[in-house]
């Protein structure tokens, strides 16, 4: 008999009922999930750490608000990868339930905070590009490093507060309300509210980027019509448009990776999910790691400043390798090995 049916009349907040959410029934499914999480998570941490290093090792990039927002995105992706992989694999692959309701909600809050902060960082970047293109003459006065740091601090506080609401009491155990079919202890009303919060962020990002691309199209059409010579202002404008297109690619990847998860979350609020759909949700959840892994690749390929910094790092690394190979110690070691031979 299905263990979920055994506990159907029991308390929904019992730790034992968490076994109902372990939907991976075969060893092949567990190996697949573990492989995906391990591969995507490792690459995500490495790539985003490299992005942070490239940004903060160069004075030209770490002073710009645009790259401060990108570094916030990279940091959020790193935290999401670490927390998600550890908690997800531990729960679905190793079937660990030896933890309390508070610990589970704390882990879930960490994942929600990281993803919300990632999306909010994209929103700030979209607003930054919006101001840069719509009001270029006032950009430096409006978007200062101080205001950028304040905006980043506020967004992380808001995201952490929203994500910690279940831990603070908005859960189906405390309220004795309807529990979610996808997450243990999570109230259906909270899940719906969190989805609305995410959809509002997505809507604002799409609106801002649509405006940016529309202004960029107008600018390009004006230059082609009047054959304007490329000057300093036009060069900066093209750089802003380039970065805006890059972030549109990031947003596209974000929507494609997270739309299956959000659709299943919304569907779970209004209808009962089958075991097959819950397994689909478990596999679709790994797409968030794919999204976090792809973002740094887009930066490296599309951002000329980060790409130049990356080439400098590789050049410096090659010079160090050549220097170490041509050092006196290396030569003496080589000579001694030849004598012994």
């Amino acid at each position: 008999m299905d263990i979920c049916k055994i506990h159907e009349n029991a308390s929904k907040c019992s730790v034992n009922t968490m076994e109902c959410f372990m939907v991976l029934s075969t060893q092949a499914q567990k190996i697949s999930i573990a492989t995906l999480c391990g591969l995507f998570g490792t690459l995500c941490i490495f790539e985003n750490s490299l992005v942070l290093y490239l940004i903060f090792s160069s004075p030209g990039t770490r002073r710009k608000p645009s790259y401060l927002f990108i570094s916030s995105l990279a940091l959020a992706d790193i935290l999401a990868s670490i927390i998600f992989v550890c908690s997800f694999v531990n729960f679905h692959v190793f079937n660990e339930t030896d933890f309390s309701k508070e610990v589970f909600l704390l882990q879930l809050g960490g994942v929600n905070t990281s993803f919300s902060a990632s999306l909010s960082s994209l929103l700030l970047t979209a607003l930054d590009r919006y101001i840069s293109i719509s009001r270029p003459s006032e950009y430096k006065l409006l978007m200062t490093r101080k205001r950028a740091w304040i905006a980043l601090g506020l967004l992380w506080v808001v995201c952490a507060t929203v994500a910690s609401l279940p831990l603070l009491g908005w859960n189906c155990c405390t309220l004795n309300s309807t529990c979610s079919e996808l997450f243990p202890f999570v109230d259906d009303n909270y899940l719906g509210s969190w989805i609305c919060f995410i959809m509002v962020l997505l809507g604002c990002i799409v609106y801002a980027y649509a405006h940016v691309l529309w202004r960029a199209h107008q600018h390009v059409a004006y230059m082609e019509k009047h054959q304007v010579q490329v000057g300093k202002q036009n060069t900066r404008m093209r750089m802003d448009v380039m970065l805006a297109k890059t972030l549109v690619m990031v947003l596209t990847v974000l929507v494609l990776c997270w739309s299956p998860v959000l659709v299943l979350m919304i569907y779970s609020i209004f209808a009962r999910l089958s075991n097959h759909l819950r397994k689909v949700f478990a596999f679709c959840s790994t797409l968030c790691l794919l999204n976090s892994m792809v973002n740094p690749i887009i930066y490296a390929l599309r951002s000329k400043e980060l790409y130049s910094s990356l080439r400098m790092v590789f050049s410096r690394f090659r010079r160090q390798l050549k220097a170490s190979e041509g050092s006196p110690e290396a030569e003496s070691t080589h000579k001694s090995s030849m004598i012994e031979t």
Side-chain angles (χ1 to χ4, degrees), residues 17 25 36 74 76-77 80 100 104 112-113 192 243 272 282 294 301 304:
T17 60
S25 55
L36 290 175
D77 287 337
S100 63
F104 177 84
N112 288 344
T113 299
L243 184 55
R272 188 172 183 84
V294 170
L301 293 177
K304 291 183 178 179

Side-chain angles (χ1 to χ4, degrees), residues 77-278:
D77 287 337
I78 291 174
L79 293 177
S81 300
I82 295 174
I83 301 173
F84 178 85
V85 170
C86 292
S87 59
F88 195 80
V89 172
N90 191 45
F91 185 80
H92 283 287
V93 177
F94 297 106
N95 300 136
E96 290 290 337
T97 58
D98 189 20
F99 49 82
S100 63
K101 175 192 71 176
E102 288 75 18
V103 172
F104 177 84
L105 292 178
L106 181 63
Q107 293 175 351
L108 184 63
V111 175
N112 288 344
T113 299
S114 303
F115 171 60
S116 302
S118 176
L119 197 57
S120 300
S121 299
L122 279 177
L123 176 58
L124 289 181
T125 310
L127 294 176
D128 175 74
R129 295 302 90 200
Y130 179 90
I131 296 174
S132 176
I133 289 184
S134 62
R135 306 172 70 176
S137 60
E138 305 175 24
Y139 173 76
K140 289 187 176 180
L141 295 176
L142 296 174
M143 188 59 67
T144 61
R145 292 183 74 248
K146 181 179 179 181
R147 290 181 177 179
W149 280 111
I150 292 175
L152 287 175
L154 288 175
L155 86 83
W156 278 91
V157 169
V158 171
C159 292
T161 302
V162 172
S164 62
L165 290 177
L167 184 62
L168 297 176
W170 193 355
N171 56 75
C172 58
C173 302
T174 304
L175 301 177
N176 195 23
S177 55
T178 305
C179 294
S180 170
E181 294 186 13
L182 294 174
F183 306 100
F185 314 125
V186 174
D187 180 68
D188 258 349
N189 292 327
Y190 170 79
L191 182 61
S193 300
W194 185 82
I195 293 173
C196 291
F197 172 65
I198 296 301
M199 297 301 289
V200 168
L201 291 179
L202 282 172
C204 293
I205 294 173
V206 170
Y207 173 80
Y209 281 149
H211 182 83
V212 167
L213 292 179
W214 178 66
R215 292 297 296 268
H217 174 73
Q218 281 187 326
H219 178 75
V220 172
Y222 177 83
M223 291 182 63
E224 291 178 351
K225 181 179 180 180
H226 298 276
Q227 297 181 350
V228 179
Q229 292 184 353
V230 178
K232 183 177 180 180
Q233 185 68 19
N234 293 328
T235 301
R236 179 182 174 182
M237 188 71 175
R238 288 214 305 266
M239 289 176 61
D240 290 338
V241 171
M242 185 71 173
L243 184 55
K245 291 181 178 179
T246 299
L247 294 169
V248 167
M249 293 175 62
V250 174
L251 177 62
T252 303
V253 173
L254 178 80
V255 172
L256 291 177
C257 289
W258 280 92
S259 56
V261 174
L262 292 175
V263 168
L264 287 173
M265 285 183 182
I266 296 173
Y267 181 76
S268 69
I269 297 176
F270 300 101
R272 188 172 183 84
L273 294 178
S274 63
N275 287 335
H276 176 71
L277 285 179
R278 292 164 71 188

